[in-house]
Amino acid sequence: NAGVTQTPKFQVLKTGQSMTLQCAQDMNHNSMYWYRQDPGMGLRLIYYSASEGTTDKGEVPNGYNVSRLNKREFSLRLESAAPSQTSVYFCASTGLTDTQYFGPGTRLTVL
Amino acid sequence: RKEVEQDPGPFNVPEGATVAFNCTYSNSASQSFFWYRQDCRKEPKLLMSVYSSGNEDGRFTAQLNRASQYISLLIRDSKLSDSATYLCVVNKHSGNTPLVFGKGTRLSVIA
C-alpha cells in the first residue's frame, strides 16, 4: 500500500498562473482533506470531502477549488495563484476510526 | 477559547529526561483524541490515539481528562530522535467531521 500520495512534490508558479495539486489514497477511505501549513500557523483546513460526491469548505477556502474525482482521488486547484498561497500543502484521508493519514506534501512557491 | 490549545515551546531537554506536554480542547462533545508527531518539513504522522483510561506505548504515555478537557503526553527516557513537533488532535464530534489540530509543541532533545 502506498497510503496517500501527492504530486507534484515541489512547484514554483508565477502570480496569476493556475495549477492542480493531485492526491490519491489506496486505503479505501471515505473522507479526504486538503490542508495548508505556514510557519507558526499550524495546519489549516482548506476543503474536505466527507464522501465521494461531496465537498465542503474548511477554514481557508478562498482562492481554491476542489474535485473529488472518485473515492481514491481528491484534487486541489489554484485558479489564479497569489504570493499569499505560498505554502506547504498536505492531503490527508480518514477511515472509520478517525485516524488521519497524510501525504508527503507539496511545497508551492508563488513568485 | 481556541478549539485546541498547546504550549508552543520549545521544550529543550537532555537525553534521558522525562518531559510532559499538555493540551486543552474546548468542545466537550469531542470523542476522538490523538497525538501526532511532525518532523521538520515532513508530514504529520500518528504517534498514538488517546483513550479514556489512558494508554501507553513504550516510552510514551497518553492521558485524557474529560472533566477538565485536557490531554497529556508523557515521554520517558527521551532520545535525540524524539526531537520533533507534537500535535494534539481532537475531533469536533463523532462522524465524518474534520479533526482539529493544535499548532504543536516543539521538543528538542539535547545530547
Side-chain angles (χ1 to χ4, degrees), chain A residues 52-91:
Chain A
E52 189 178 352
T54 69
T55 60
D56 283 287
K57 294 179 180 179
E59 184 186 350
V60 288
N62 291 346
Y64 305 95
N65 284 304
V66 289
S67 295
R68 184 75 184 266
L69 304 168
N70 47 55
K71 192 170 186 179
R72 288 189 64 247
E73 298 172 289
F74 188 38
S75 63
L76 178 72
R77 182 159 178 84
L78 286 71
E79 289 292 351
S80 178
S84 60
Q85 294 178 305
T86 293
S87 190
V88 180
Y89 291 85
F90 290 107
C91 177

PDB file of all heavy atoms in Angstrom, chain A residues 52-91:
ATOM      1  N   GLU A  52     -17.411  10.337  -1.300  1.00  0.00           N
ATOM      2  CA  GLU A  52     -17.386  10.549  -2.748  1.00  0.00           C
ATOM      3  C   GLU A  52     -18.633  11.332  -3.153  1.00  0.00           C
ATOM      4  O   GLU A  52     -19.743  11.017  -2.733  1.00  0.00           O
ATOM      5  CB  GLU A  52     -17.373   9.190  -3.433  1.00  0.00           C
ATOM      6  CG  GLU A  52     -17.144   9.249  -4.910  1.00  0.00           C
ATOM      7  CD  GLU A  52     -17.092   7.858  -5.530  1.00  0.00           C
ATOM      8  OE1 GLU A  52     -17.078   6.864  -4.775  1.00  0.00           O
ATOM      9  OE2 GLU A  52     -17.080   7.786  -6.765  1.00  0.00           O
ATOM     10  N   GLY A  53     -18.425  12.395  -3.917  1.00  0.00           N
ATOM     11  CA  GLY A  53     -19.554  13.190  -4.388  1.00  0.00           C
ATOM     12  C   GLY A  53     -19.878  14.400  -3.556  1.00  0.00           C
ATOM     13  O   GLY A  53     -20.733  15.207  -3.924  1.00  0.00           O
ATOM     14  N   THR A  54     -19.218  14.562  -2.419  1.00  0.00           N
ATOM     15  CA  THR A  54     -19.473  15.739  -1.573  1.00  0.00           C
ATOM     16  C   THR A  54     -18.173  16.465  -1.277  1.00  0.00           C
ATOM     17  O   THR A  54     -17.119  15.840  -1.116  1.00  0.00           O
ATOM     18  CB  THR A  54     -20.122  15.362  -0.236  1.00  0.00           C
ATOM     19  OG1 THR A  54     -19.158  14.659   0.558  1.00  0.00           O
ATOM     20  CG2 THR A  54     -21.331  14.488  -0.429  1.00  0.00           C
ATOM     21  N   THR A  55     -18.262  17.801  -1.227  1.00  0.00           N
ATOM     22  CA  THR A  55     -17.123  18.599  -0.787  1.00  0.00           C
ATOM     23  C   THR A  55     -17.645  19.730   0.093  1.00  0.00           C
ATOM     24  O   THR A  55     -18.780  20.189  -0.088  1.00  0.00           O
ATOM     25  CB  THR A  55     -16.330  19.201  -1.967  1.00  0.00           C
ATOM     26  OG1 THR A  55     -17.188  20.042  -2.735  1.00  0.00           O
ATOM     27  CG2 THR A  55     -15.748  18.110  -2.867  1.00  0.00           C
ATOM     28  N   ASP A  56     -16.809  20.157   1.048  1.00  0.00           N
ATOM     29  CA  ASP A  56     -17.198  21.247   1.936  1.00  0.00           C
ATOM     30  C   ASP A  56     -16.012  22.149   2.202  1.00  0.00           C
ATOM     31  O   ASP A  56     -14.861  21.691   2.184  1.00  0.00           O
ATOM     32  CB  ASP A  56     -17.696  20.683   3.281  1.00  0.00           C
ATOM     33  CG  ASP A  56     -19.085  20.125   3.179  1.00  0.00           C
ATOM     34  OD1 ASP A  56     -20.030  20.918   3.066  1.00  0.00           O
ATOM     35  OD2 ASP A  56     -19.211  18.894   3.190  1.00  0.00           O
ATOM     36  N   LYS A  57     -16.334  23.424   2.457  1.00  0.00           N
ATOM     37  CA  LYS A  57     -15.282  24.386   2.759  1.00  0.00           C
ATOM     38  C   LYS A  57     -14.754  24.162   4.167  1.00  0.00           C
ATOM     39  O   LYS A  57     -15.484  23.801   5.083  1.00  0.00           O
ATOM     40  CB  LYS A  57     -15.841  25.815   2.652  1.00  0.00           C
ATOM     41  CG  LYS A  57     -16.241  26.194   1.249  1.00  0.00           C
ATOM     42  CD  LYS A  57     -16.805  27.600   1.217  1.00  0.00           C
ATOM     43  CE  LYS A  57     -17.220  27.979  -0.212  1.00  0.00           C
ATOM     44  NZ  LYS A  57     -17.798  29.335  -0.282  1.00  0.00           N
ATOM     45  N   GLY A  58     -13.460  24.438   4.286  1.00  0.00           N
ATOM     46  CA  GLY A  58     -12.840  24.425   5.597  1.00  0.00           C
ATOM     47  C   GLY A  58     -12.630  25.840   6.096  1.00  0.00           C
ATOM     48  O   GLY A  58     -13.425  26.732   5.818  1.00  0.00           O
ATOM     49  N   GLU A  59     -11.523  26.038   6.768  1.00  0.00           N
ATOM     50  CA  GLU A  59     -11.232  27.323   7.419  1.00  0.00           C
ATOM     51  C   GLU A  59     -10.770  28.385   6.425  1.00  0.00           C
ATOM     52  O   GLU A  59     -11.089  29.566   6.579  1.00  0.00           O
ATOM     53  CB  GLU A  59     -10.144  27.082   8.469  1.00  0.00           C
ATOM     54  CG  GLU A  59      -9.746  28.248   9.316  1.00  0.00           C
ATOM     55  CD  GLU A  59      -8.551  27.902  10.211  1.00  0.00           C
ATOM     56  OE1 GLU A  59      -8.180  26.711  10.296  1.00  0.00           O
ATOM     57  OE2 GLU A  59      -7.992  28.840  10.811  1.00  0.00           O
ATOM     58  N   VAL A  60     -10.026  27.985   5.384  1.00  0.00           N
ATOM     59  CA  VAL A  60      -9.426  28.959   4.457  1.00  0.00           C
ATOM     60  C   VAL A  60      -9.656  28.562   2.990  1.00  0.00           C
ATOM     61  O   VAL A  60      -8.713  28.289   2.257  1.00  0.00           O
ATOM     62  CB  VAL A  60      -7.907  29.124   4.741  1.00  0.00           C
ATOM     63  CG1 VAL A  60      -7.668  29.875   6.036  1.00  0.00           C
ATOM     64  CG2 VAL A  60      -7.196  27.762   4.768  1.00  0.00           C
ATOM     65  N   PRO A  61     -10.898  28.554   2.499  1.00  0.00           N
ATOM     66  CA  PRO A  61     -11.173  28.066   1.148  1.00  0.00           C
ATOM     67  C   PRO A  61     -10.952  29.078   0.020  1.00  0.00           C
ATOM     68  O   PRO A  61     -10.875  28.683  -1.144  1.00  0.00           O
ATOM     69  CB  PRO A  61     -12.664  27.716   1.233  1.00  0.00           C
ATOM     70  CG  PRO A  61     -13.212  28.706   2.214  1.00  0.00           C
ATOM     71  CD  PRO A  61     -12.115  28.913   3.228  1.00  0.00           C
ATOM     72  N   ASN A  62     -10.847  30.359   0.363  1.00  0.00           N
ATOM     73  CA  ASN A  62     -10.798  31.378  -0.698  1.00  0.00           C
ATOM     74  C   ASN A  62      -9.563  31.211  -1.580  1.00  0.00           C
ATOM     75  O   ASN A  62      -8.449  31.090  -1.092  1.00  0.00           O
ATOM     76  CB  ASN A  62     -10.813  32.779  -0.076  1.00  0.00           C
ATOM     77  CG  ASN A  62     -12.146  33.099   0.549  1.00  0.00           C
ATOM     78  OD1 ASN A  62     -13.135  32.410   0.304  1.00  0.00           O
ATOM     79  ND2 ASN A  62     -12.189  34.138   1.359  1.00  0.00           N
ATOM     80  N   GLY A  63      -9.805  31.245  -2.902  1.00  0.00           N
ATOM     81  CA  GLY A  63      -8.718  31.125  -3.870  1.00  0.00           C
ATOM     82  C   GLY A  63      -8.468  29.696  -4.314  1.00  0.00           C
ATOM     83  O   GLY A  63      -7.568  29.447  -5.125  1.00  0.00           O
ATOM     84  N   TYR A  64      -9.261  28.755  -3.789  1.00  0.00           N
ATOM     85  CA  TYR A  64      -9.078  27.325  -4.099  1.00  0.00           C
ATOM     86  C   TYR A  64     -10.393  26.702  -4.548  1.00  0.00           C
ATOM     87  O   TYR A  64     -11.473  27.136  -4.156  1.00  0.00           O
ATOM     88  CB  TYR A  64      -8.588  26.563  -2.863  1.00  0.00           C
ATOM     89  CG  TYR A  64      -7.348  27.087  -2.223  1.00  0.00           C
ATOM     90  CD1 TYR A  64      -7.424  27.978  -1.141  1.00  0.00           C
ATOM     91  CD2 TYR A  64      -6.090  26.708  -2.671  1.00  0.00           C
ATOM     92  CE1 TYR A  64      -6.284  28.470  -0.540  1.00  0.00           C
ATOM     93  CE2 TYR A  64      -4.939  27.196  -2.066  1.00  0.00           C
ATOM     94  CZ  TYR A  64      -5.047  28.073  -1.006  1.00  0.00           C
ATOM     95  OH  TYR A  64      -3.909  28.552  -0.411  1.00  0.00           O
ATOM     96  N   ASN A  65     -10.260  25.647  -5.367  1.00  0.00           N
ATOM     97  CA  ASN A  65     -11.392  24.789  -5.684  1.00  0.00           C
ATOM     98  C   ASN A  65     -10.939  23.342  -5.577  1.00  0.00           C
ATOM     99  O   ASN A  65      -9.744  23.060  -5.684  1.00  0.00           O
ATOM    100  CB  ASN A  65     -11.896  25.044  -7.117  1.00  0.00           C
ATOM    101  CG  ASN A  65     -12.678  26.325  -7.210  1.00  0.00           C
ATOM    102  OD1 ASN A  65     -13.657  26.513  -6.496  1.00  0.00           O
ATOM    103  ND2 ASN A  65     -12.236  27.239  -8.054  1.00  0.00           N
ATOM    104  N   VAL A  66     -11.890  22.448  -5.347  1.00  0.00           N
ATOM    105  CA  VAL A  66     -11.533  21.040  -5.214  1.00  0.00           C
ATOM    106  C   VAL A  66     -12.458  20.188  -6.080  1.00  0.00           C
ATOM    107  O   VAL A  66     -13.569  20.610  -6.442  1.00  0.00           O
ATOM    108  CB  VAL A  66     -11.620  20.543  -3.756  1.00  0.00           C
ATOM    109  CG1 VAL A  66     -10.501  21.136  -2.913  1.00  0.00           C
ATOM    110  CG2 VAL A  66     -12.988  20.822  -3.152  1.00  0.00           C
ATOM    111  N   SER A  67     -11.975  18.990  -6.360  1.00  0.00           N
ATOM    112  CA  SER A  67     -12.779  17.993  -7.067  1.00  0.00           C
ATOM    113  C   SER A  67     -12.533  16.636  -6.442  1.00  0.00           C
ATOM    114  O   SER A  67     -11.376  16.223  -6.304  1.00  0.00           O
ATOM    115  CB  SER A  67     -12.407  17.933  -8.561  1.00  0.00           C
ATOM    116  OG  SER A  67     -12.714  19.120  -9.209  1.00  0.00           O
ATOM    117  N   ARG A  68     -13.613  15.982  -6.046  1.00  0.00           N
ATOM    118  CA  ARG A  68     -13.485  14.586  -5.585  1.00  0.00           C
ATOM    119  C   ARG A  68     -13.807  13.731  -6.800  1.00  0.00           C
ATOM    120  O   ARG A  68     -14.950  13.452  -7.101  1.00  0.00           O
ATOM    121  CB  ARG A  68     -14.447  14.302  -4.431  1.00  0.00           C
ATOM    122  CG  ARG A  68     -14.305  12.907  -3.856  1.00  0.00           C
ATOM    123  CD  ARG A  68     -13.090  12.763  -3.010  1.00  0.00           C
ATOM    124  NE  ARG A  68     -12.884  11.424  -2.522  1.00  0.00           N
ATOM    125  CZ  ARG A  68     -13.302  10.984  -1.337  1.00  0.00           C
ATOM    126  NH1 ARG A  68     -13.990  11.782  -0.524  1.00  0.00           N
ATOM    127  NH2 ARG A  68     -13.046   9.750  -0.963  1.00  0.00           N
ATOM    128  N   LEU A  69     -12.774  13.344  -7.488  1.00  0.00           N
ATOM    129  CA  LEU A  69     -12.913  12.694  -8.794  1.00  0.00           C
ATOM    130  C   LEU A  69     -13.545  11.314  -8.658  1.00  0.00           C
ATOM    131  O   LEU A  69     -14.323  10.884  -9.520  1.00  0.00           O
ATOM    132  CB  LEU A  69     -11.545  12.603  -9.459  1.00  0.00           C
ATOM    133  CG  LEU A  69     -10.836  13.964  -9.610  1.00  0.00           C
ATOM    134  CD1 LEU A  69      -9.377  13.773  -9.993  1.00  0.00           C
ATOM    135  CD2 LEU A  69     -11.559  14.822 -10.629  1.00  0.00           C
ATOM    136  N   ASN A  70     -13.185  10.611  -7.621  1.00  0.00           N
ATOM    137  CA  ASN A  70     -13.726   9.285  -7.308  1.00  0.00           C
ATOM    138  C   ASN A  70     -13.337   9.013  -5.859  1.00  0.00           C
ATOM    139  O   ASN A  70     -12.815   9.912  -5.183  1.00  0.00           O
ATOM    140  CB  ASN A  70     -13.165   8.219  -8.269  1.00  0.00           C
ATOM    141  CG  ASN A  70     -11.670   8.332  -8.430  1.00  0.00           C
ATOM    142  OD1 ASN A  70     -10.939   8.314  -7.430  1.00  0.00           O
ATOM    143  ND2 ASN A  70     -11.197   8.473  -9.658  1.00  0.00           N
ATOM    144  N   LYS A  71     -13.534   7.816  -5.375  1.00  0.00           N
ATOM    145  CA  LYS A  71     -13.233   7.570  -3.965  1.00  0.00           C
ATOM    146  C   LYS A  71     -11.747   7.725  -3.666  1.00  0.00           C
ATOM    147  O   LYS A  71     -11.359   8.125  -2.580  1.00  0.00           O
ATOM    148  CB  LYS A  71     -13.705   6.169  -3.569  1.00  0.00           C
ATOM    149  CG  LYS A  71     -13.699   5.942  -2.069  1.00  0.00           C
ATOM    150  CD  LYS A  71     -14.395   4.651  -1.684  1.00  0.00           C
ATOM    151  CE  LYS A  71     -14.494   4.562  -0.170  1.00  0.00           C
ATOM    152  NZ  LYS A  71     -15.183   3.325   0.261  1.00  0.00           N
ATOM    153  N   ARG A  72     -10.907   7.461  -4.626  1.00  0.00           N
ATOM    154  CA  ARG A  72      -9.462   7.479  -4.395  1.00  0.00           C
ATOM    155  C   ARG A  72      -8.842   8.865  -4.503  1.00  0.00           C
ATOM    156  O   ARG A  72      -7.853   9.141  -3.854  1.00  0.00           O
ATOM    157  CB  ARG A  72      -8.771   6.589  -5.438  1.00  0.00           C
ATOM    158  CG  ARG A  72      -8.944   5.103  -5.274  1.00  0.00           C
ATOM    159  CD  ARG A  72      -8.028   4.365  -6.248  1.00  0.00           C
ATOM    160  NE  ARG A  72      -6.621   4.602  -5.983  1.00  0.00           N
ATOM    161  CZ  ARG A  72      -5.787   5.261  -6.781  1.00  0.00           C
ATOM    162  NH1 ARG A  72      -6.210   5.789  -7.917  1.00  0.00           N
ATOM    163  NH2 ARG A  72      -4.518   5.405  -6.455  1.00  0.00           N
ATOM    164  N   GLU A  73      -9.395   9.722  -5.363  1.00  0.00           N
ATOM    165  CA  GLU A  73      -8.678  10.935  -5.756  1.00  0.00           C
ATOM    166  C   GLU A  73      -9.403  12.219  -5.353  1.00  0.00           C
ATOM    167  O   GLU A  73     -10.622  12.346  -5.527  1.00  0.00           O
ATOM    168  CB  GLU A  73      -8.468  10.929  -7.268  1.00  0.00           C
ATOM    169  CG  GLU A  73      -7.614   9.766  -7.751  1.00  0.00           C
ATOM    170  CD  GLU A  73      -7.602   9.681  -9.264  1.00  0.00           C
ATOM    171  OE1 GLU A  73      -8.645   9.303  -9.848  1.00  0.00           O
ATOM    172  OE2 GLU A  73      -6.563  10.027  -9.844  1.00  0.00           O
ATOM    173  N   PHE A  74      -8.609  13.177  -4.875  1.00  0.00           N
ATOM    174  CA  PHE A  74      -9.151  14.464  -4.423  1.00  0.00           C
ATOM    175  C   PHE A  74      -8.140  15.529  -4.835  1.00  0.00           C
ATOM    176  O   PHE A  74      -7.026  15.558  -4.321  1.00  0.00           O
ATOM    177  CB  PHE A  74      -9.321  14.419  -2.904  1.00  0.00           C
ATOM    178  CG  PHE A  74     -10.046  15.579  -2.295  1.00  0.00           C
ATOM    179  CD1 PHE A  74     -11.130  16.177  -2.918  1.00  0.00           C
ATOM    180  CD2 PHE A  74      -9.666  16.070  -1.050  1.00  0.00           C
ATOM    181  CE1 PHE A  74     -11.814  17.228  -2.331  1.00  0.00           C
ATOM    182  CE2 PHE A  74     -10.340  17.118  -0.448  1.00  0.00           C
ATOM    183  CZ  PHE A  74     -11.413  17.695  -1.091  1.00  0.00           C
ATOM    184  N   SER A  75      -8.537  16.386  -5.775  1.00  0.00           N
ATOM    185  CA  SER A  75      -7.578  17.353  -6.299  1.00  0.00           C
ATOM    186  C   SER A  75      -7.908  18.750  -5.800  1.00  0.00           C
ATOM    187  O   SER A  75      -9.057  19.081  -5.481  1.00  0.00           O
ATOM    188  CB  SER A  75      -7.575  17.322  -7.827  1.00  0.00           C
ATOM    189  OG  SER A  75      -8.842  17.701  -8.327  1.00  0.00           O
ATOM    190  N   LEU A  76      -6.860  19.578  -5.729  1.00  0.00           N
ATOM    191  CA  LEU A  76      -6.972  20.972  -5.269  1.00  0.00           C
ATOM    192  C   LEU A  76      -6.488  21.873  -6.392  1.00  0.00           C
ATOM    193  O   LEU A  76      -5.375  21.693  -6.894  1.00  0.00           O
ATOM    194  CB  LEU A  76      -6.109  21.190  -4.030  1.00  0.00           C
ATOM    195  CG  LEU A  76      -6.078  22.604  -3.456  1.00  0.00           C
ATOM    196  CD1 LEU A  76      -7.405  22.944  -2.774  1.00  0.00           C
ATOM    197  CD2 LEU A  76      -4.934  22.752  -2.440  1.00  0.00           C
ATOM    198  N   ARG A  77      -7.294  22.848  -6.786  1.00  0.00           N
ATOM    199  CA  ARG A  77      -6.933  23.707  -7.893  1.00  0.00           C
ATOM    200  C   ARG A  77      -6.784  25.160  -7.435  1.00  0.00           C
ATOM    201  O   ARG A  77      -7.639  25.682  -6.683  1.00  0.00           O
ATOM    202  CB  ARG A  77      -7.970  23.630  -9.012  1.00  0.00           C
ATOM    203  CG  ARG A  77      -7.602  24.481 -10.226  1.00  0.00           C
ATOM    204  CD  ARG A  77      -8.301  24.037 -11.476  1.00  0.00           C
ATOM    205  NE  ARG A  77      -7.963  24.900 -12.600  1.00  0.00           N
ATOM    206  CZ  ARG A  77      -6.872  24.757 -13.358  1.00  0.00           C
ATOM    207  NH1 ARG A  77      -6.008  23.771 -13.110  1.00  0.00           N
ATOM    208  NH2 ARG A  77      -6.650  25.576 -14.369  1.00  0.00           N
ATOM    209  N   LEU A  78      -5.702  25.776  -7.876  1.00  0.00           N
ATOM    210  CA  LEU A  78      -5.490  27.202  -7.695  1.00  0.00           C
ATOM    211  C   LEU A  78      -5.737  27.839  -9.068  1.00  0.00           C
ATOM    212  O   LEU A  78      -5.001  27.573 -10.018  1.00  0.00           O
ATOM    213  CB  LEU A  78      -4.065  27.509  -7.245  1.00  0.00           C
ATOM    214  CG  LEU A  78      -3.683  27.195  -5.805  1.00  0.00           C
ATOM    215  CD1 LEU A  78      -3.583  25.700  -5.551  1.00  0.00           C
ATOM    216  CD2 LEU A  78      -2.362  27.868  -5.448  1.00  0.00           C
ATOM    217  N   GLU A  79      -6.777  28.627  -9.189  1.00  0.00           N
ATOM    218  CA  GLU A  79      -7.138  29.192 -10.495  1.00  0.00           C
ATOM    219  C   GLU A  79      -6.217  30.337 -10.896  1.00  0.00           C
ATOM    220  O   GLU A  79      -5.855  30.482 -12.045  1.00  0.00           O
ATOM    221  CB  GLU A  79      -8.587  29.692 -10.467  1.00  0.00           C
ATOM    222  CG  GLU A  79      -9.620  28.587 -10.408  1.00  0.00           C
ATOM    223  CD  GLU A  79      -9.691  27.755 -11.683  1.00  0.00           C
ATOM    224  OE1 GLU A  79      -9.064  28.127 -12.702  1.00  0.00           O
ATOM    225  OE2 GLU A  79     -10.369  26.716 -11.670  1.00  0.00           O
ATOM    226  N   SER A  80      -5.861  31.169  -9.922  1.00  0.00           N
ATOM    227  CA  SER A  80      -5.017  32.322 -10.201  1.00  0.00           C
ATOM    228  C   SER A  80      -4.117  32.523  -8.975  1.00  0.00           C
ATOM    229  O   SER A  80      -4.502  33.181  -8.015  1.00  0.00           O
ATOM    230  CB  SER A  80      -5.866  33.561 -10.462  1.00  0.00           C
ATOM    231  OG  SER A  80      -5.046  34.690 -10.688  1.00  0.00           O
ATOM    232  N   ALA A  81      -2.936  31.906  -9.038  1.00  0.00           N
ATOM    233  CA  ALA A  81      -2.083  31.849  -7.856  1.00  0.00           C
ATOM    234  C   ALA A  81      -1.635  33.240  -7.401  1.00  0.00           C
ATOM    235  O   ALA A  81      -1.361  34.129  -8.232  1.00  0.00           O
ATOM    236  CB  ALA A  81      -0.863  30.975  -8.132  1.00  0.00           C
ATOM    237  N   ALA A  82      -1.543  33.391  -6.077  1.00  0.00           N
ATOM    238  CA  ALA A  82      -1.082  34.636  -5.464  1.00  0.00           C
ATOM    239  C   ALA A  82       0.061  34.319  -4.514  1.00  0.00           C
ATOM    240  O   ALA A  82       0.130  33.201  -3.981  1.00  0.00           O
ATOM    241  CB  ALA A  82      -2.228  35.292  -4.700  1.00  0.00           C
ATOM    242  N   PRO A  83       0.974  35.281  -4.273  1.00  0.00           N
ATOM    243  CA  PRO A  83       2.088  35.017  -3.351  1.00  0.00           C
ATOM    244  C   PRO A  83       1.620  34.542  -1.977  1.00  0.00           C
ATOM    245  O   PRO A  83       2.329  33.758  -1.319  1.00  0.00           O
ATOM    246  CB  PRO A  83       2.789  36.373  -3.278  1.00  0.00           C
ATOM    247  CG  PRO A  83       2.514  36.995  -4.607  1.00  0.00           C
ATOM    248  CD  PRO A  83       1.115  36.581  -4.948  1.00  0.00           C
ATOM    249  N   SER A  84       0.424  34.958  -1.545  1.00  0.00           N
ATOM    250  CA  SER A  84      -0.095  34.525  -0.243  1.00  0.00           C
ATOM    251  C   SER A  84      -0.405  33.028  -0.204  1.00  0.00           C
ATOM    252  O   SER A  84      -0.641  32.468   0.881  1.00  0.00           O
ATOM    253  CB  SER A  84      -1.361  35.312   0.110  1.00  0.00           C
ATOM    254  OG  SER A  84      -2.365  35.089  -0.872  1.00  0.00           O
ATOM    255  N   GLN A  85      -0.419  32.395  -1.349  1.00  0.00           N
ATOM    256  CA  GLN A  85      -0.673  30.958  -1.405  1.00  0.00           C
ATOM    257  C   GLN A  85       0.625  30.141  -1.371  1.00  0.00           C
ATOM    258  O   GLN A  85       0.577  28.913  -1.459  1.00  0.00           O
ATOM    259  CB  GLN A  85      -1.500  30.609  -2.642  1.00  0.00           C
ATOM    260  CG  GLN A  85      -2.898  31.194  -2.574  1.00  0.00           C
ATOM    261  CD  GLN A  85      -3.732  30.903  -3.797  1.00  0.00           C
ATOM    262  OE1 GLN A  85      -3.325  31.210  -4.932  1.00  0.00           O
ATOM    263  NE2 GLN A  85      -4.904  30.310  -3.603  1.00  0.00           N
ATOM    264  N   THR A  86       1.731  30.799  -1.224  1.00  0.00           N
ATOM    265  CA  THR A  86       3.000  30.099  -0.986  1.00  0.00           C
ATOM    266  C   THR A  86       2.879  29.370   0.337  1.00  0.00           C
ATOM    267  O   THR A  86       2.599  29.981   1.378  1.00  0.00           O
ATOM    268  CB  THR A  86       4.169  31.101  -0.935  1.00  0.00           C
ATOM    269  OG1 THR A  86       4.341  31.664  -2.233  1.00  0.00           O
ATOM    270  CG2 THR A  86       5.455  30.412  -0.491  1.00  0.00           C
ATOM    271  N   SER A  87       3.058  28.050   0.305  1.00  0.00           N
ATOM    272  CA  SER A  87       2.824  27.247   1.499  1.00  0.00           C
ATOM    273  C   SER A  87       3.221  25.810   1.220  1.00  0.00           C
ATOM    274  O   SER A  87       3.622  25.455   0.112  1.00  0.00           O
ATOM    275  CB  SER A  87       1.330  27.308   1.864  1.00  0.00           C
ATOM    276  OG  SER A  87       1.087  26.729   3.129  1.00  0.00           O
ATOM    277  N   VAL A  88       3.084  24.988   2.244  1.00  0.00           N
ATOM    278  CA  VAL A  88       3.183  23.543   2.066  1.00  0.00           C
ATOM    279  C   VAL A  88       1.758  22.994   2.143  1.00  0.00           C
ATOM    280  O   VAL A  88       1.028  23.292   3.088  1.00  0.00           O
ATOM    281  CB  VAL A  88       4.050  22.884   3.151  1.00  0.00           C
ATOM    282  CG1 VAL A  88       4.134  21.381   2.918  1.00  0.00           C
ATOM    283  CG2 VAL A  88       5.453  23.496   3.155  1.00  0.00           C
ATOM    284  N   TYR A  89       1.379  22.220   1.156  1.00  0.00           N
ATOM    285  CA  TYR A  89       0.023  21.676   1.072  1.00  0.00           C
ATOM    286  C   TYR A  89       0.051  20.181   1.366  1.00  0.00           C
ATOM    287  O   TYR A  89       0.812  19.427   0.775  1.00  0.00           O
ATOM    288  CB  TYR A  89      -0.560  21.926  -0.324  1.00  0.00           C
ATOM    289  CG  TYR A  89      -0.830  23.385  -0.566  1.00  0.00           C
ATOM    290  CD1 TYR A  89       0.179  24.234  -1.029  1.00  0.00           C
ATOM    291  CD2 TYR A  89      -2.088  23.930  -0.301  1.00  0.00           C
ATOM    292  CE1 TYR A  89      -0.061  25.582  -1.223  1.00  0.00           C
ATOM    293  CE2 TYR A  89      -2.332  25.276  -0.497  1.00  0.00           C
ATOM    294  CZ  TYR A  89      -1.316  26.095  -0.950  1.00  0.00           C
ATOM    295  OH  TYR A  89      -1.548  27.438  -1.135  1.00  0.00           O
ATOM    296  N   PHE A  90      -0.780  19.777   2.307  1.00  0.00           N
ATOM    297  CA  PHE A  90      -0.899  18.366   2.664  1.00  0.00           C
ATOM    298  C   PHE A  90      -2.293  17.864   2.349  1.00  0.00           C
ATOM    299  O   PHE A  90      -3.289  18.514   2.663  1.00  0.00           O
ATOM    300  CB  PHE A  90      -0.640  18.154   4.158  1.00  0.00           C
ATOM    301  CG  PHE A  90       0.770  18.356   4.589  1.00  0.00           C
ATOM    302  CD1 PHE A  90       1.144  19.479   5.313  1.00  0.00           C
ATOM    303  CD2 PHE A  90       1.747  17.412   4.290  1.00  0.00           C
ATOM    304  CE1 PHE A  90       2.454  19.678   5.725  1.00  0.00           C
ATOM    305  CE2 PHE A  90       3.063  17.600   4.693  1.00  0.00           C
ATOM    306  CZ  PHE A  90       3.416  18.727   5.402  1.00  0.00           C
ATOM    307  N   CYS A  91      -2.336  16.692   1.761  1.00  0.00           N
ATOM    308  CA  CYS A  91      -3.577  15.962   1.570  1.00  0.00           C
ATOM    309  C   CYS A  91      -3.639  14.882   2.643  1.00  0.00           C
ATOM    310  O   CYS A  91      -2.590  14.361   3.076  1.00  0.00           O
ATOM    311  CB  CYS A  91      -3.576  15.338   0.177  1.00  0.00           C
ATOM    312  SG  CYS A  91      -5.014  14.321  -0.179  1.00  0.00           S
TER     313      CYS A  91
END
